[in-house]
Amino acid sequence: MTKHEGQQAEKVLLRFPKNEYPYVATKPWHGSQRKVAEDDTSVTIELDVVINYELEQKILSWGDYVEVLRPETLRQAICNRIERAGNHYYVTK
């Protein structure tokens, strides 16, 4: 992922449904990717990456199959982008 001068990498935690994890494992998002937790329904990975537009686009491309757990700033940024996108599709009844 792209890194601009002066940007520092951060630890990013992402949670995926367990049935989607095999794809994430075989197509890693970054060389730092590692599995850090697993339960009956989900798998959590950690990435040590610079938070940038490219990362946000990758997360958004997974739709509801990914949840940003950390950092909170990235979680909020993704939430805001999804909210704004949803506003384009508001349907009146």
Side-chain angles (χ1 to χ4, degrees), residues 3-33:
K3 179 179 178 183
H4 298 287
E5 189 175 330
Q7 287 185 302
Q8 297 296 316
E10 296 185 51
K11 294 208 181 299
V12 173
L13 289 180
L14 304 172
R15 181 169 42 212
F16 296 88
K18 196 167 192 171
N19 64 327
E20 295 296 323
Y21 177 70
Y23 185 78
V24 176
T26 59
K27 302 279 189 197
W29 289 25
H30 188 263
S32 67
Q33 179 175 313

Side-chain angles (χ1 to χ4, degrees), residues 40-57:
D40 291 341
T41 61
S42 66
V43 175
T44 301
I45 66 167
E46 180 182 84
L47 306 170
D48 191 22
V49 293
V50 170
I51 295 173
N52 58 21
Y53 179 78
E54 185 180 357
L55 175 63
E56 287 187 20
Q57 290 302 305

